[in-house]
Amino acid sequence: MLSTQAGPIGIFDSGYGGLTILHGIRQLLPEYDYLYLGDNARAPYGARSFDVVYEFTRQAVVRLFEEGCQLVILGCNTASAKALRTIQQNDLPRLDPQRRVLGIIRPTAEIIGNLTKTRHVGVLATEGTIKSESYKLEIQKLYPDIQVSGVACPFWVPLVEYNEADSPGADYFVKKRIDQLMALDADIDAVILGCTHYPILMPKISKYVPSGVRIIAQGDYVADSLKTYFQRHPEKEALCSKGGRVRYMTTENADKFRESAQLFLHEHVEVETISLG
């Protein structure tokens, strides 16, 4: 039987990118406890099938529930695109109808209408997120007049995870995908970074995105959305413990996680290695 006691806010990602989501949330809501789980041993999820991403994500959600989390945020665009709806509709009623699993695509879709004047929006993301068309579907549910174009950026995550984000070689891959996106629609005036790794590439992205085009990273918007969610659902907020503590778990080598986490958080973290599945 899962506990009904207050517990940390769980944040899950296939790798390290979700740390940018954690950082944004902690900046706005530092008083809560957090538990971050990275399935680094099986990352990246971007090119995996819907069924595999769903199963891996379900395993992670179950583990975070077992660790006491009453609320879990899928800080991973691929998991949000391929697994969130099935977990919400099929698994939560069986696991615990009182707990909540939230994604990070909807919060970005909700604010995009205020950030584009031309009503033409671009998305740069992993292959899985682009193929799912999740951003286009969510945005056009809310804003049917907005045109959405997307380009997959298969080499961007490895550039970040292998600490090559500042290298001259990164310029080629970043410029190539941005040029490809703008060639699809020259009227784009807002570009969503639909992968949580991509803010680490921001200096390069800013360099090649045309002047006047807004770049939208998700961390701040997800944090604002969570704060609003708590205001709307005080009963859920009461189930999130407050001690300002953060725990980290990874399915891979703890030393490698610590080293990579420095890139995203600029601080030393303690991490425990676990297994899923």
Side-chain angles (χ1 to χ4, degrees), residues 42-54:
R42 301 188 293 195
Y45 281 13
R48 291 187 182 272
S49 71
F50 273 73
D51 288 344
V52 169
V53 171
Y54 159 68

Side-chain angles (χ1 to χ4, degrees), residues 145-163:
D145 62 314
I146 291 181
Q147 300 296 309
V148 182
S149 304
V151 167
C153 308
F155 294 107
W156 287 21
V157 168
L159 283 171
V160 172
E161 299 216 339
Y162 288 100
N163 204 11

Side-chain angles (χ1 to χ4, degrees), residues 2-3 7 32 51 61-62 65 74 80 86 90 112 115 129-130 159 168 175 184 228 230 242-244 247 257 268 272:
L2 292 169
S3 170
Y32 295 91
D51 288 344
V61 167
V62 168
F65 282 177
L74 303 185
S80 295
T86 305
N90 296 355
I112 195 66
L115 303 178
T129 299
I130 295 298
L159 283 171
K175 183 178 187 300
L184 285 177
T228 302
F230 281 158
K242 299 174 187 68
R247 283 176 60 205
F257 185 95
H268 178 77
E272 56 195 285

Side-chain angles (χ1 to χ4, degrees), residues 1-4 61-62 65 69-72 86-102 229 233 235-236 239:
M1 182 73 178
L2 292 169
S3 170
T4 55
V61 167
V62 168
F65 282 177
C69 299
Q70 303 286 336
L71 170 69
V72 172
T86 305
I87 287 172
Q88 287 176 333
Q89 294 178 349
N90 296 355
D91 294 293
L92 276 184
R94 179 175 48 81
L95 290 169
D96 187 341
Q98 301 309 310
R99 302 204 185 200
R100 291 293 178 267
V101 179
L102 306 176
Y229 178 83
H233 300 282
E235 76 286 359
K236 300 303 178 193
L239 290 171

Side-chain angles (χ1 to χ4, degrees), residues 137-196:
L137 292 168
E138 286 293 337
I139 290 169
Q140 292 188 337
K141 264 190 234 170
L142 300 165
Y143 307 103
D145 62 314
I146 291 181
Q147 300 296 309
V148 182
S149 304
V151 167
C153 308
F155 294 107
W156 287 21
V157 168
L159 283 171
V160 172
E161 299 216 339
Y162 288 100
N163 204 11
E164 295 289 331
D166 294 327
S167 70
D171 286 77
Y172 170 79
F173 293 105
V174 172
K175 183 178 187 300
K176 179 179 181 180
R177 298 307 176 189
I178 290 170
D179 288 350
Q180 188 179 342
L181 179 66
M182 298 310 297
L184 285 177
D185 185 352
D187 292 326
I188 287 170
D189 72 344
V191 174
I192 296 168
L193 303 185
C195 173
T196 51

Side-chain angles (χ1 to χ4, degrees), residues 5-261:
Q5 291 183 329
I9 297 168
I11 297 181
F12 168 68
D13 186 24
S14 58
Y16 302 104
L19 293 169
T20 61
I21 300 297
L22 172 63
H23 177 72
I25 294 173
R26 282 178 69 198
Q27 293 292 105
L28 187 64
L29 303 167
E31 67 272 27
Y32 295 91
D33 295 324
Y34 297 93
L35 175 53
Y36 183 89
L37 169 54
D39 188 13
N40 307 86
R42 301 188 293 195
Y45 281 13
R48 291 187 182 272
S49 71
F50 273 73
D51 288 344
V52 169
V53 171
Y54 159 68
E55 181 54 29
F56 287 178
T57 305
R58 186 193 65 79
Q59 291 169 3
V61 167
V62 168
R63 178 58 184 262
L64 288 166
F65 282 177
E66 289 171 349
E67 294 285 340
C69 299
Q70 303 286 336
L71 170 69
V72 172
I73 297 168
L74 303 185
C76 171
N77 284 275
T78 303
S80 295
K82 293 185 174 183
L84 177 64
R85 194 174 301 277
T86 305
I87 287 172
Q88 287 176 333
Q89 294 178 349
N90 296 355
D91 294 293
L92 276 184
R94 179 175 48 81
L95 290 169
D96 187 341
Q98 301 309 310
R99 302 204 185 200
R100 291 293 178 267
V101 179
L102 306 176
I104 59 173
I105 292 175
R106 178 80 182 193
T108 314
E110 286 174 346
I111 53 89
I112 195 66
N114 301 324
L115 303 178
T116 172
K117 292 193 173 88
T118 64
R119 316 308 276 176
H120 291 254
V121 171
V123 180
L124 297 167
T126 65
E127 181 186 353
T129 299
I130 295 298
K131 280 187 174 176
S132 74
E133 295 198 324
S134 293
Y135 273 98
K136 183 175 184 177
L137 292 168
E138 286 293 337
I139 290 169
Q140 292 188 337
K141 264 190 234 170
L142 300 165
Y143 307 103
D145 62 314
I146 291 181
Q147 300 296 309
V148 182
S149 304
V151 167
C153 308
F155 294 107
W156 287 21
V157 168
L159 283 171
V160 172
E161 299 216 339
Y162 288 100
N163 204 11
E164 295 289 331
D166 294 327
S167 70
D171 286 77
Y172 170 79
F173 293 105
V174 172
K175 183 178 187 300
K176 179 179 181 180
R177 298 307 176 189
I178 290 170
D179 288 350
Q180 188 179 342
L181 179 66
M182 298 310 297
L184 285 177
D185 185 352
D187 292 326
I188 287 170
D189 72 344
V191 174
I192 296 168
L193 303 185
C195 173
T196 51
H197 283 70
Y198 294 178
I200 303 297
L201 289 162
M202 189 66 85
K204 304 282 190 194
I205 295 168
S206 301
K207 185 174 168 185
Y208 295 112
V209 164
S211 175
V213 174
R214 188 165 189 163
I215 306 166
I216 299 161
Q218 296 170 294
D220 293 342
Y221 300 111
V222 172
D224 287 337
S225 180
L226 180 59
K227 184 176 181 180
T228 302
Y229 178 83
F230 281 158
Q231 290 166 349
R232 290 201 319 264
H233 300 282
E235 76 286 359
K236 300 303 178 193
E237 188 275 341
L239 290 171
C240 298
S241 57
K242 299 174 187 68
R245 297 176 294 264
V246 189
R247 283 176 60 205
Y248 298 91
M249 299 191 304
T250 178
T251 56
E252 203 183 43
N253 179 275
D255 289 336
K256 186 175 188 308
F257 185 95
R258 272 191 291 270
E259 182 184 331
S260 296

